[in-house]
Amino acid sequence: MHEGLTLAALPGLRRVEHIMGMPIVLDVRDEDVDEVAVDAMFDWLRWVDTVFSTYKEDSEISRYNRGELALGDAHPEVARVLEHCEQLRSETGGYFDVRAASADVVDPSGFVKGWSVDRGAAMLDAAGLRNYALNAAGDMCLRGRAVPELCWRVGIQHPLERDKVARVIETTGLAVATSGEYARGAHILDPHTGAPPAGVLSVTIAGPDLGTADAYATAAFAMGERGPEWTRGIAPYEAMIVLAGEQVLLTPGFADLRVS
Amino acid sequence: MLEQEALHAQFTGSINMISGASDSSDAFIQSLQGALSAAHKV
């Protein structure tokens, strides 16, 4: 409470909803908030979940994977998302792959989360919202400022001491995504070897779009020790990689985001 | 070139959000606590 600002002075709106199997936090700092637009944004995320969830048996993705729904008969967004995932597979040398778990089944969840948050943020932008954070379980879109005097300050979680952060970045408009194994054990596999990657604790990517940032973070993590070299060529996206040897590697642009 | 430095642990004061690995409940809970405590005090 003694950081120069009291929370009581915060304008705007805070809302949390559980969608896509995760809590989604919207923190708006504008004076006046179009709550109809906020409702529509959460409705959009729920719609995405009903269409793309691999956990729901009647989702279009599940029906497509069982061969019950042709791509041409699915909602056009399904084909667009799979096309975008194919592009990301190519950009990442196959390390982001919706067929990583099985050649017979597509699981675009690793892109859909960020993509749907990007689209949700575009809806809020169109409705005139200027200063907000939209955070989907640690991956987020940021716009404007937290308060007029201060940018958004985002802590990058420390992969070994989880009540602490490894770095703080300051931004007025970026997407930030982090991939790592520390949250739920090995779930990202190198699609080329089928084995979990070694040598890297976490990868954080910051850049214009959350869908791309999230896919790049997953891919760079899956690359293991080759990930850092790959992140040198992904501008305008920037990377922070925490190595198992407790060294941190940063692209120059990520280093410039630092405030502490 | 990539810049290299040692990993440091910092306390989470004075930040608005935490970016962590997907399904990282810790990162989420901290974000949630921030959002809820802000909401309760408005």
Side-chain angles (χ1 to χ4, degrees), chain A residues 14 16 23 135 138 153 155 157 162 164-165 167 178 182 184 246-248 250, chain B residues 3-5 7 10 14 16-19 21 23-24 26 28 31-32 35 41-42:
Chain A
R14 259 62 51 193
V16 183
N135 184 344
R153 288 174 175 231
Q157 190 173 28
R162 291 167 58 183
K164 298 194 180 72
V165 296
R167 195 176 187 87
T178 298
Y182 54 87
R184 53 173 178 175
E246 299 193 31
Q247 291 292 304
V248 180
L250 304 145
Chain B
E3 297 182 22
Q4 182 168 340
E5 57 186 53
L7 178 63
Q10 304 178 25
S14 162
N16 307 115
M17 291 277 157
I18 295 179
S19 180
D23 292 354
S24 162
D26 294 358
F28 168 69
S31 300
L32 183 62
K41 282 166 188 172
V42 165

PDB file of all heavy atoms in Angstrom, chain A residues 14 16 23 135 138 153 155 157 162 164-165 167 178 182 184 246-248 250, chain B residues 3-5 7 10 14 16-19 21 23-24 26 28 31-32 35 41-42:
ATOM      1  N   ARG A  14     -12.354  -4.995 -12.408  1.00  0.00           N
ATOM      2  CA  ARG A  14     -11.595  -6.231 -12.347  1.00  0.00           C
ATOM      3  C   ARG A  14     -12.587  -7.377 -12.482  1.00  0.00           C
ATOM      4  O   ARG A  14     -13.619  -7.367 -11.811  1.00  0.00           O
ATOM      5  CB  ARG A  14     -10.899  -6.373 -10.982  1.00  0.00           C
ATOM      6  CG  ARG A  14      -9.432  -6.029 -10.902  1.00  0.00           C
ATOM      7  CD  ARG A  14      -9.013  -4.618 -11.224  1.00  0.00           C
ATOM      8  NE  ARG A  14      -9.751  -3.599 -10.515  1.00  0.00           N
ATOM      9  CZ  ARG A  14      -9.722  -2.305 -10.838  1.00  0.00           C
ATOM     10  NH1 ARG A  14      -9.006  -1.875 -11.851  1.00  0.00           N
ATOM     11  NH2 ARG A  14     -10.433  -1.429 -10.164  1.00  0.00           N
ATOM     12  N   VAL A  16     -12.892 -11.836 -13.161  1.00  0.00           N
ATOM     13  CA  VAL A  16     -12.248 -13.141 -13.338  1.00  0.00           C
ATOM     14  C   VAL A  16     -13.314 -14.139 -13.770  1.00  0.00           C
ATOM     15  O   VAL A  16     -14.366 -14.221 -13.143  1.00  0.00           O
ATOM     16  CB  VAL A  16     -11.623 -13.651 -12.017  1.00  0.00           C
ATOM     17  CG1 VAL A  16     -10.892 -14.971 -12.262  1.00  0.00           C
ATOM     18  CG2 VAL A  16     -10.687 -12.623 -11.430  1.00  0.00           C
ATOM     19  N   PRO A  23      -8.407 -19.768 -15.336  1.00  0.00           N
ATOM     20  CA  PRO A  23      -8.982 -18.479 -14.947  1.00  0.00           C
ATOM     21  C   PRO A  23      -8.471 -17.381 -15.870  1.00  0.00           C
ATOM     22  O   PRO A  23      -7.280 -17.314 -16.156  1.00  0.00           O
ATOM     23  CB  PRO A  23      -8.457 -18.276 -13.531  1.00  0.00           C
ATOM     24  CG  PRO A  23      -7.643 -19.498 -13.216  1.00  0.00           C
ATOM     25  CD  PRO A  23      -7.302 -20.178 -14.482  1.00  0.00           C
ATOM     26  N   ASN A 135      -5.304 -11.423 -18.832  1.00  0.00           N
ATOM     27  CA  ASN A 135      -4.313 -12.426 -18.430  1.00  0.00           C
ATOM     28  C   ASN A 135      -4.963 -13.796 -18.377  1.00  0.00           C
ATOM     29  O   ASN A 135      -5.880 -14.033 -17.590  1.00  0.00           O
ATOM     30  CB  ASN A 135      -3.773 -12.017 -17.048  1.00  0.00           C
ATOM     31  CG  ASN A 135      -2.650 -12.930 -16.562  1.00  0.00           C
ATOM     32  OD1 ASN A 135      -2.437 -14.030 -17.079  1.00  0.00           O
ATOM     33  ND2 ASN A 135      -1.940 -12.466 -15.552  1.00  0.00           N
ATOM     34  N   GLY A 138      -1.334 -16.606 -16.837  1.00  0.00           N
ATOM     35  CA  GLY A 138       0.095 -16.282 -16.926  1.00  0.00           C
ATOM     36  C   GLY A 138       0.561 -15.818 -18.293  1.00  0.00           C
ATOM     37  O   GLY A 138       1.706 -15.407 -18.443  1.00  0.00           O
ATOM     38  N   ARG A 153       3.610  -3.164 -15.108  1.00  0.00           N
ATOM     39  CA  ARG A 153       4.817  -3.863 -14.666  1.00  0.00           C
ATOM     40  C   ARG A 153       4.491  -5.351 -14.561  1.00  0.00           C
ATOM     41  O   ARG A 153       3.604  -5.739 -13.798  1.00  0.00           O
ATOM     42  CB  ARG A 153       5.275  -3.347 -13.309  1.00  0.00           C
ATOM     43  CG  ARG A 153       5.876  -1.961 -13.415  1.00  0.00           C
ATOM     44  CD  ARG A 153       6.194  -1.401 -12.052  1.00  0.00           C
ATOM     45  NE  ARG A 153       6.874  -0.126 -12.190  1.00  0.00           N
ATOM     46  CZ  ARG A 153       8.019   0.163 -11.571  1.00  0.00           C
ATOM     47  NH1 ARG A 153       8.585  -0.729 -10.787  1.00  0.00           N
ATOM     48  NH2 ARG A 153       8.576   1.336 -11.747  1.00  0.00           N
ATOM     49  N   GLY A 155       5.901  -9.138 -13.824  1.00  0.00           N
ATOM     50  CA  GLY A 155       6.958  -9.989 -13.279  1.00  0.00           C
ATOM     51  C   GLY A 155       7.050 -11.278 -14.076  1.00  0.00           C
ATOM     52  O   GLY A 155       6.024 -11.861 -14.433  1.00  0.00           O
ATOM     53  N   GLN A 157       7.884 -14.968 -13.772  1.00  0.00           N
ATOM     54  CA  GLN A 157       7.991 -15.867 -12.622  1.00  0.00           C
ATOM     55  C   GLN A 157       9.333 -16.592 -12.577  1.00  0.00           C
ATOM     56  O   GLN A 157       9.835 -17.079 -13.599  1.00  0.00           O
ATOM     57  CB  GLN A 157       6.867 -16.902 -12.671  1.00  0.00           C
ATOM     58  CG  GLN A 157       6.769 -17.705 -11.392  1.00  0.00           C
ATOM     59  CD  GLN A 157       5.548 -18.603 -11.376  1.00  0.00           C
ATOM     60  OE1 GLN A 157       5.065 -19.026 -12.408  1.00  0.00           O
ATOM     61  NE2 GLN A 157       5.053 -18.882 -10.195  1.00  0.00           N
ATOM     62  N   ARG A 162       8.984 -20.102  -6.780  1.00  0.00           N
ATOM     63  CA  ARG A 162       7.784 -19.678  -7.482  1.00  0.00           C
ATOM     64  C   ARG A 162       7.015 -18.556  -6.799  1.00  0.00           C
ATOM     65  O   ARG A 162       6.064 -18.035  -7.368  1.00  0.00           O
ATOM     66  CB  ARG A 162       6.912 -20.892  -7.751  1.00  0.00           C
ATOM     67  CG  ARG A 162       7.607 -21.781  -8.788  1.00  0.00           C
ATOM     68  CD  ARG A 162       7.001 -23.122  -8.898  1.00  0.00           C
ATOM     69  NE  ARG A 162       5.591 -23.057  -9.238  1.00  0.00           N
ATOM     70  CZ  ARG A 162       4.838 -24.123  -9.341  1.00  0.00           C
ATOM     71  NH1 ARG A 162       5.326 -25.315  -9.116  1.00  0.00           N
ATOM     72  NH2 ARG A 162       3.561 -23.993  -9.646  1.00  0.00           N
ATOM     73  N   LYS A 164       8.561 -15.895  -6.185  1.00  0.00           N
ATOM     74  CA  LYS A 164       9.363 -14.728  -6.566  1.00  0.00           C
ATOM     75  C   LYS A 164       9.390 -14.601  -8.083  1.00  0.00           C
ATOM     76  O   LYS A 164       8.943 -15.486  -8.801  1.00  0.00           O
ATOM     77  CB  LYS A 164      10.784 -14.863  -6.022  1.00  0.00           C
ATOM     78  CG  LYS A 164      10.840 -14.915  -4.489  1.00  0.00           C
ATOM     79  CD  LYS A 164      12.255 -14.692  -4.008  1.00  0.00           C
ATOM     80  CE  LYS A 164      12.336 -14.737  -2.486  1.00  0.00           C
ATOM     81  NZ  LYS A 164      12.170 -16.129  -1.980  1.00  0.00           N
ATOM     82  N   VAL A 165       9.914 -13.474  -8.535  1.00  0.00           N
ATOM     83  CA  VAL A 165      10.041 -13.261  -9.975  1.00  0.00           C
ATOM     84  C   VAL A 165      11.521 -13.150 -10.333  1.00  0.00           C
ATOM     85  O   VAL A 165      12.353 -12.788  -9.494  1.00  0.00           O
ATOM     86  CB  VAL A 165       9.265 -12.009 -10.456  1.00  0.00           C
ATOM     87  CG1 VAL A 165       7.775 -12.201 -10.219  1.00  0.00           C
ATOM     88  CG2 VAL A 165       9.769 -10.739  -9.793  1.00  0.00           C
ATOM     89  N   ARG A 167      12.531 -11.376 -13.020  1.00  0.00           N
ATOM     90  CA  ARG A 167      12.759 -10.113 -13.707  1.00  0.00           C
ATOM     91  C   ARG A 167      11.431  -9.364 -13.739  1.00  0.00           C
ATOM     92  O   ARG A 167      10.370  -9.982 -13.697  1.00  0.00           O
ATOM     93  CB  ARG A 167      13.223 -10.385 -15.134  1.00  0.00           C
ATOM     94  CG  ARG A 167      13.823  -9.197 -15.850  1.00  0.00           C
ATOM     95  CD  ARG A 167      14.327  -9.619 -17.225  1.00  0.00           C
ATOM     96  NE  ARG A 167      15.052  -8.529 -17.856  1.00  0.00           N
ATOM     97  CZ  ARG A 167      16.343  -8.296 -17.678  1.00  0.00           C
ATOM     98  NH1 ARG A 167      17.063  -9.065 -16.885  1.00  0.00           N
ATOM     99  NH2 ARG A 167      16.925  -7.280 -18.296  1.00  0.00           N
ATOM    100  N   THR A 178       4.849 -17.176 -21.306  1.00  0.00           N
ATOM    101  CA  THR A 178       5.938 -17.961 -20.726  1.00  0.00           C
ATOM    102  C   THR A 178       5.621 -19.451 -20.814  1.00  0.00           C
ATOM    103  O   THR A 178       4.497 -19.853 -20.526  1.00  0.00           O
ATOM    104  CB  THR A 178       6.168 -17.568 -19.247  1.00  0.00           C
ATOM    105  OG1 THR A 178       6.549 -16.191 -19.190  1.00  0.00           O
ATOM    106  CG2 THR A 178       7.255 -18.418 -18.604  1.00  0.00           C
ATOM    107  N   TYR A 182       8.003 -26.153 -14.997  1.00  0.00           N
ATOM    108  CA  TYR A 182       7.915 -26.151 -13.545  1.00  0.00           C
ATOM    109  C   TYR A 182       6.491 -26.198 -13.038  1.00  0.00           C
ATOM    110  O   TYR A 182       6.242 -26.568 -11.911  1.00  0.00           O
ATOM    111  CB  TYR A 182       8.649 -24.939 -12.967  1.00  0.00           C
ATOM    112  CG  TYR A 182       8.200 -23.591 -13.531  1.00  0.00           C
ATOM    113  CD1 TYR A 182       7.134 -22.905 -12.975  1.00  0.00           C
ATOM    114  CD2 TYR A 182       8.872 -23.027 -14.603  1.00  0.00           C
ATOM    115  CE1 TYR A 182       6.745 -21.691 -13.478  1.00  0.00           C
ATOM    116  CE2 TYR A 182       8.483 -21.801 -15.113  1.00  0.00           C
ATOM    117  CZ  TYR A 182       7.409 -21.135 -14.543  1.00  0.00           C
ATOM    118  OH  TYR A 182       7.009 -19.929 -15.040  1.00  0.00           O
ATOM    119  N   ARG A 184       3.657 -28.038 -14.188  1.00  0.00           N
ATOM    120  CA  ARG A 184       2.949 -29.315 -14.088  1.00  0.00           C
ATOM    121  C   ARG A 184       3.776 -30.481 -14.622  1.00  0.00           C
ATOM    122  O   ARG A 184       3.241 -31.439 -15.158  1.00  0.00           O
ATOM    123  CB  ARG A 184       1.610 -29.229 -14.817  1.00  0.00           C
ATOM    124  CG  ARG A 184       1.744 -28.750 -16.257  1.00  0.00           C
ATOM    125  CD  ARG A 184       0.421 -28.837 -17.001  1.00  0.00           C
ATOM    126  NE  ARG A 184       0.586 -28.321 -18.342  1.00  0.00           N
ATOM    127  CZ  ARG A 184      -0.345 -28.344 -19.263  1.00  0.00           C
ATOM    128  NH1 ARG A 184      -1.518 -28.859 -19.005  1.00  0.00           N
ATOM    129  NH2 ARG A 184      -0.130 -27.858 -20.463  1.00  0.00           N
ATOM    130  N   GLU A 246      20.948 -21.879 -14.253  1.00  0.00           N
ATOM    131  CA  GLU A 246      20.577 -20.621 -13.585  1.00  0.00           C
ATOM    132  C   GLU A 246      21.256 -19.407 -14.201  1.00  0.00           C
ATOM    133  O   GLU A 246      21.601 -18.446 -13.521  1.00  0.00           O
ATOM    134  CB  GLU A 246      20.805 -20.710 -12.068  1.00  0.00           C
ATOM    135  CG  GLU A 246      19.947 -21.823 -11.462  1.00  0.00           C
ATOM    136  CD  GLU A 246      19.866 -21.773  -9.952  1.00  0.00           C
ATOM    137  OE1 GLU A 246      19.929 -20.665  -9.396  1.00  0.00           O
ATOM    138  OE2 GLU A 246      19.713 -22.847  -9.338  1.00  0.00           O
ATOM    139  N   GLN A 247      21.446 -19.499 -15.509  1.00  0.00           N
ATOM    140  CA  GLN A 247      21.841 -18.322 -16.273  1.00  0.00           C
ATOM    141  C   GLN A 247      20.606 -17.840 -17.026  1.00  0.00           C
ATOM    142  O   GLN A 247      19.745 -18.640 -17.391  1.00  0.00           O
ATOM    143  CB  GLN A 247      22.935 -18.680 -17.282  1.00  0.00           C
ATOM    144  CG  GLN A 247      24.269 -19.035 -16.635  1.00  0.00           C
ATOM    145  CD  GLN A 247      24.914 -17.837 -15.969  1.00  0.00           C
ATOM    146  OE1 GLN A 247      25.133 -16.821 -16.604  1.00  0.00           O
ATOM    147  NE2 GLN A 247      25.192 -17.944 -14.675  1.00  0.00           N
ATOM    148  N   VAL A 248      20.541 -16.534 -17.269  1.00  0.00           N
ATOM    149  CA  VAL A 248      19.439 -15.944 -18.020  1.00  0.00           C
ATOM    150  C   VAL A 248      19.993 -15.397 -19.327  1.00  0.00           C
ATOM    151  O   VAL A 248      20.996 -14.669 -19.315  1.00  0.00           O
ATOM    152  CB  VAL A 248      18.772 -14.804 -17.221  1.00  0.00           C
ATOM    153  CG1 VAL A 248      17.629 -14.185 -18.019  1.00  0.00           C
ATOM    154  CG2 VAL A 248      18.268 -15.314 -15.876  1.00  0.00           C
ATOM    155  N   LEU A 250      19.006 -13.152 -22.794  1.00  0.00           N
ATOM    156  CA  LEU A 250      18.027 -12.150 -23.214  1.00  0.00           C
ATOM    157  C   LEU A 250      18.368 -11.641 -24.602  1.00  0.00           C
ATOM    158  O   LEU A 250      19.540 -11.355 -24.886  1.00  0.00           O
ATOM    159  CB  LEU A 250      18.070 -10.950 -22.259  1.00  0.00           C
ATOM    160  CG  LEU A 250      17.852 -11.259 -20.792  1.00  0.00           C
ATOM    161  CD1 LEU A 250      18.695 -10.343 -19.942  1.00  0.00           C
ATOM    162  CD2 LEU A 250      16.388 -11.116 -20.446  1.00  0.00           C
TER     163      LEU A 250
ATOM    164  N   GLU B   3      22.247 -11.410 -24.510  1.00  0.00           N
ATOM    165  CA  GLU B   3      22.893 -10.968 -23.278  1.00  0.00           C
ATOM    166  C   GLU B   3      22.750 -12.071 -22.237  1.00  0.00           C
ATOM    167  O   GLU B   3      21.740 -12.759 -22.199  1.00  0.00           O
ATOM    168  CB  GLU B   3      22.239  -9.677 -22.783  1.00  0.00           C
ATOM    169  CG  GLU B   3      22.421  -8.541 -23.775  1.00  0.00           C
ATOM    170  CD  GLU B   3      21.834  -7.226 -23.292  1.00  0.00           C
ATOM    171  OE1 GLU B   3      21.655  -7.067 -22.074  1.00  0.00           O
ATOM    172  OE2 GLU B   3      21.569  -6.373 -24.138  1.00  0.00           O
ATOM    173  N   GLN B   4      23.748 -12.206 -21.400  1.00  0.00           N
ATOM    174  CA  GLN B   4      23.713 -13.262 -20.390  1.00  0.00           C
ATOM    175  C   GLN B   4      23.922 -12.682 -19.011  1.00  0.00           C
ATOM    176  O   GLN B   4      24.744 -11.799 -18.817  1.00  0.00           O
ATOM    177  CB  GLN B   4      24.803 -14.298 -20.682  1.00  0.00           C
ATOM    178  CG  GLN B   4      24.782 -15.458 -19.701  1.00  0.00           C
ATOM    179  CD  GLN B   4      25.651 -16.617 -20.145  1.00  0.00           C
ATOM    180  OE1 GLN B   4      25.991 -16.738 -21.317  1.00  0.00           O
ATOM    181  NE2 GLN B   4      26.008 -17.466 -19.206  1.00  0.00           N
ATOM    182  N   GLU B   5      23.134 -13.166 -18.062  1.00  0.00           N
ATOM    183  CA  GLU B   5      23.335 -12.748 -16.682  1.00  0.00           C
ATOM    184  C   GLU B   5      22.915 -13.872 -15.752  1.00  0.00           C
ATOM    185  O   GLU B   5      22.304 -14.849 -16.183  1.00  0.00           O
ATOM    186  CB  GLU B   5      22.552 -11.455 -16.382  1.00  0.00           C
ATOM    187  CG  GLU B   5      21.077 -11.547 -16.643  1.00  0.00           C
ATOM    188  CD  GLU B   5      20.377 -10.202 -16.458  1.00  0.00           C
ATOM    189  OE1 GLU B   5      20.826  -9.203 -17.070  1.00  0.00           O
ATOM    190  OE2 GLU B   5      19.407 -10.164 -15.708  1.00  0.00           O
ATOM    191  N   LEU B   7      20.789 -15.744 -12.823  1.00  0.00           N
ATOM    192  CA  LEU B   7      19.389 -15.746 -12.400  1.00  0.00           C
ATOM    193  C   LEU B   7      19.278 -15.190 -10.988  1.00  0.00           C
ATOM    194  O   LEU B   7      20.008 -15.605 -10.092  1.00  0.00           O
ATOM    195  CB  LEU B   7      18.868 -17.190 -12.441  1.00  0.00           C
ATOM    196  CG  LEU B   7      17.429 -17.435 -12.002  1.00  0.00           C
ATOM    197  CD1 LEU B   7      16.453 -16.720 -12.925  1.00  0.00           C
ATOM    198  CD2 LEU B   7      17.134 -18.938 -11.989  1.00  0.00           C
ATOM    199  N   GLN B  10      13.572 -12.102  -7.166  1.00  0.00           N
ATOM    200  CA  GLN B  10      13.120 -10.828  -6.609  1.00  0.00           C
ATOM    201  C   GLN B  10      11.745 -11.030  -5.975  1.00  0.00           C
ATOM    202  O   GLN B  10      10.971 -11.851  -6.446  1.00  0.00           O
ATOM    203  CB  GLN B  10      12.955  -9.784  -7.712  1.00  0.00           C
ATOM    204  CG  GLN B  10      14.187  -9.540  -8.547  1.00  0.00           C
ATOM    205  CD  GLN B  10      13.929  -8.525  -9.648  1.00  0.00           C
ATOM    206  OE1 GLN B  10      13.044  -7.696  -9.538  1.00  0.00           O
ATOM    207  NE2 GLN B  10      14.695  -8.615 -10.708  1.00  0.00           N
ATOM    208  N   SER B  14       5.124  -4.299  -6.105  1.00  0.00           N
ATOM    209  CA  SER B  14       5.088  -3.259  -7.121  1.00  0.00           C
ATOM    210  C   SER B  14       4.988  -3.776  -8.553  1.00  0.00           C
ATOM    211  O   SER B  14       5.480  -3.160  -9.481  1.00  0.00           O
ATOM    212  CB  SER B  14       6.322  -2.363  -6.949  1.00  0.00           C
ATOM    213  OG  SER B  14       6.616  -1.615  -8.052  1.00  0.00           O
ATOM    214  N   ASN B  16       2.095  -5.559 -11.471  1.00  0.00           N
ATOM    215  CA  ASN B  16       0.671  -5.671 -11.738  1.00  0.00           C
ATOM    216  C   ASN B  16       0.244  -7.087 -12.106  1.00  0.00           C
ATOM    217  O   ASN B  16      -0.880  -7.491 -11.835  1.00  0.00           O
ATOM    218  CB  ASN B  16       0.255  -4.742 -12.878  1.00  0.00           C
ATOM    219  CG  ASN B  16       0.684  -3.309 -12.648  1.00  0.00           C
ATOM    220  OD1 ASN B  16       1.495  -2.780 -13.389  1.00  0.00           O
ATOM    221  ND2 ASN B  16       0.152  -2.684 -11.616  1.00  0.00           N
ATOM    222  N   MET B  17       1.116  -7.809 -12.791  1.00  0.00           N
ATOM    223  CA  MET B  17       0.760  -9.125 -13.327  1.00  0.00           C
ATOM    224  C   MET B  17       1.997 -10.000 -13.271  1.00  0.00           C
ATOM    225  O   MET B  17       3.121  -9.498 -13.274  1.00  0.00           O
ATOM    226  CB  MET B  17       0.338  -9.015 -14.807  1.00  0.00           C
ATOM    227  CG  MET B  17      -0.978  -8.315 -15.065  1.00  0.00           C
ATOM    228  SD  MET B  17      -2.357  -9.443 -14.842  1.00  0.00           S
ATOM    229  CE  MET B  17      -3.691  -8.293 -14.519  1.00  0.00           C
ATOM    230  N   ILE B  18       1.785 -11.323 -13.284  1.00  0.00           N
ATOM    231  CA  ILE B  18       2.916 -12.251 -13.352  1.00  0.00           C
ATOM    232  C   ILE B  18       2.734 -13.160 -14.548  1.00  0.00           C
ATOM    233  O   ILE B  18       1.671 -13.753 -14.740  1.00  0.00           O
ATOM    234  CB  ILE B  18       3.037 -13.092 -12.067  1.00  0.00           C
ATOM    235  CG1 ILE B  18       3.379 -12.190 -10.885  1.00  0.00           C
ATOM    236  CG2 ILE B  18       4.104 -14.168 -12.235  1.00  0.00           C
ATOM    237  CD1 ILE B  18       3.491 -12.903  -9.570  1.00  0.00           C
ATOM    238  N   SER B  19       3.787 -13.251 -15.373  1.00  0.00           N
ATOM    239  CA  SER B  19       3.785 -14.192 -16.484  1.00  0.00           C
ATOM    240  C   SER B  19       4.504 -15.449 -16.035  1.00  0.00           C
ATOM    241  O   SER B  19       5.647 -15.394 -15.582  1.00  0.00           O
ATOM    242  CB  SER B  19       4.479 -13.592 -17.703  1.00  0.00           C
ATOM    243  OG  SER B  19       4.459 -14.523 -18.773  1.00  0.00           O
ATOM    244  N   ALA B  21       4.538 -20.140 -16.483  1.00  0.00           N
ATOM    245  CA  ALA B  21       4.210 -21.266 -17.349  1.00  0.00           C
ATOM    246  C   ALA B  21       2.715 -21.549 -17.289  1.00  0.00           C
ATOM    247  O   ALA B  21       2.092 -21.403 -16.248  1.00  0.00           O
ATOM    248  CB  ALA B  21       4.990 -22.495 -16.934  1.00  0.00           C
ATOM    249  N   ASP B  23      -0.847 -22.946 -16.813  1.00  0.00           N
ATOM    250  CA  ASP B  23      -1.365 -23.737 -15.699  1.00  0.00           C
ATOM    251  C   ASP B  23      -0.554 -23.542 -14.428  1.00  0.00           C
ATOM    252  O   ASP B  23      -0.654 -24.310 -13.508  1.00  0.00           O
ATOM    253  CB  ASP B  23      -1.416 -25.238 -16.026  1.00  0.00           C
ATOM    254  CG  ASP B  23      -2.453 -25.529 -17.080  1.00  0.00           C
ATOM    255  OD1 ASP B  23      -3.172 -24.593 -17.450  1.00  0.00           O
ATOM    256  OD2 ASP B  23      -2.532 -26.673 -17.522  1.00  0.00           O
ATOM    257  N   SER B  24       0.264 -22.513 -14.436  1.00  0.00           N
ATOM    258  CA  SER B  24       0.996 -22.226 -13.216  1.00  0.00           C
ATOM    259  C   SER B  24       0.044 -21.571 -12.244  1.00  0.00           C
ATOM    260  O   SER B  24      -0.273 -20.400 -12.355  1.00  0.00           O
ATOM    261  CB  SER B  24       2.160 -21.288 -13.520  1.00  0.00           C
ATOM    262  OG  SER B  24       2.588 -20.710 -12.319  1.00  0.00           O
ATOM    263  N   ASP B  26       0.421 -20.818  -9.247  1.00  0.00           N
ATOM    264  CA  ASP B  26       1.017 -19.778  -8.404  1.00  0.00           C
ATOM    265  C   ASP B  26       0.929 -18.408  -9.069  1.00  0.00           C
ATOM    266  O   ASP B  26       0.499 -17.434  -8.458  1.00  0.00           O
ATOM    267  CB  ASP B  26       2.502 -20.076  -8.149  1.00  0.00           C
ATOM    268  CG  ASP B  26       2.694 -21.321  -7.314  1.00  0.00           C
ATOM    269  OD1 ASP B  26       1.680 -21.903  -6.911  1.00  0.00           O
ATOM    270  OD2 ASP B  26       3.843 -21.687  -7.075  1.00  0.00           O
ATOM    271  N   PHE B  28      -1.011 -17.532 -11.385  1.00  0.00           N
ATOM    272  CA  PHE B  28      -2.391 -17.112 -11.500  1.00  0.00           C
ATOM    273  C   PHE B  28      -2.932 -16.590 -10.186  1.00  0.00           C
ATOM    274  O   PHE B  28      -3.565 -15.545 -10.127  1.00  0.00           O
ATOM    275  CB  PHE B  28      -3.277 -18.261 -11.985  1.00  0.00           C
ATOM    276  CG  PHE B  28      -4.691 -17.868 -11.798  1.00  0.00           C
ATOM    277  CD1 PHE B  28      -5.221 -16.863 -12.576  1.00  0.00           C
ATOM    278  CD2 PHE B  28      -5.443 -18.389 -10.777  1.00  0.00           C
ATOM    279  CE1 PHE B  28      -6.491 -16.407 -12.358  1.00  0.00           C
ATOM    280  CE2 PHE B  28      -6.713 -17.936 -10.558  1.00  0.00           C
ATOM    281  CZ  PHE B  28      -7.246 -16.950 -11.349  1.00  0.00           C
ATOM    282  N   SER B  31      -1.895 -13.154  -9.545  1.00  0.00           N
ATOM    283  CA  SER B  31      -2.619 -12.201 -10.374  1.00  0.00           C
ATOM    284  C   SER B  31      -4.027 -12.001  -9.842  1.00  0.00           C
ATOM    285  O   SER B  31      -4.552 -10.893  -9.762  1.00  0.00           O
ATOM    286  CB  SER B  31      -2.719 -12.708 -11.815  1.00  0.00           C
ATOM    287  OG  SER B  31      -1.448 -12.895 -12.360  1.00  0.00           O
ATOM    288  N   LEU B  32      -4.634 -13.121  -9.464  1.00  0.00           N
ATOM    289  CA  LEU B  32      -6.006 -13.079  -8.965  1.00  0.00           C
ATOM    290  C   LEU B  32      -6.085 -12.278  -7.674  1.00  0.00           C
ATOM    291  O   LEU B  32      -6.961 -11.432  -7.502  1.00  0.00           O
ATOM    292  CB  LEU B  32      -6.474 -14.518  -8.730  1.00  0.00           C
ATOM    293  CG  LEU B  32      -7.911 -14.702  -8.278  1.00  0.00           C
ATOM    294  CD1 LEU B  32      -8.851 -14.174  -9.339  1.00  0.00           C
ATOM    295  CD2 LEU B  32      -8.189 -16.177  -7.999  1.00  0.00           C
ATOM    296  N   ALA B  35      -5.965  -8.702  -8.466  1.00  0.00           N
ATOM    297  CA  ALA B  35      -7.202  -8.208  -9.054  1.00  0.00           C
ATOM    298  C   ALA B  35      -8.306  -8.103  -8.018  1.00  0.00           C
ATOM    299  O   ALA B  35      -9.033  -7.118  -7.939  1.00  0.00           O
ATOM    300  CB  ALA B  35      -7.636  -9.122 -10.199  1.00  0.00           C
ATOM    301  N   LYS B  41     -11.255  -2.959  -2.890  1.00  0.00           N
ATOM    302  CA  LYS B  41     -10.926  -1.653  -2.316  1.00  0.00           C
ATOM    303  C   LYS B  41     -11.434  -0.494  -3.149  1.00  0.00           C
ATOM    304  O   LYS B  41     -11.301   0.642  -2.750  1.00  0.00           O
ATOM    305  CB  LYS B  41      -9.416  -1.576  -2.116  1.00  0.00           C
ATOM    306  CG  LYS B  41      -9.024  -2.366  -0.866  1.00  0.00           C
ATOM    307  CD  LYS B  41      -7.567  -2.637  -0.765  1.00  0.00           C
ATOM    308  CE  LYS B  41      -7.351  -3.592   0.412  1.00  0.00           C
ATOM    309  NZ  LYS B  41      -6.032  -4.085   0.537  1.00  0.00           N
ATOM    310  N   VAL B  42     -11.991  -0.799  -4.307  1.00  0.00           N
ATOM    311  CA  VAL B  42     -12.509   0.296  -5.134  1.00  0.00           C
ATOM    312  C   VAL B  42     -13.791   0.825  -4.495  1.00  0.00           C
ATOM    313  O   VAL B  42     -14.625   0.060  -4.083  1.00  0.00           O
ATOM    314  CB  VAL B  42     -12.751  -0.200  -6.571  1.00  0.00           C
ATOM    315  CG1 VAL B  42     -13.613   0.804  -7.327  1.00  0.00           C
ATOM    316  CG2 VAL B  42     -11.434  -0.371  -7.283  1.00  0.00           C
TER     317      VAL B  42
END
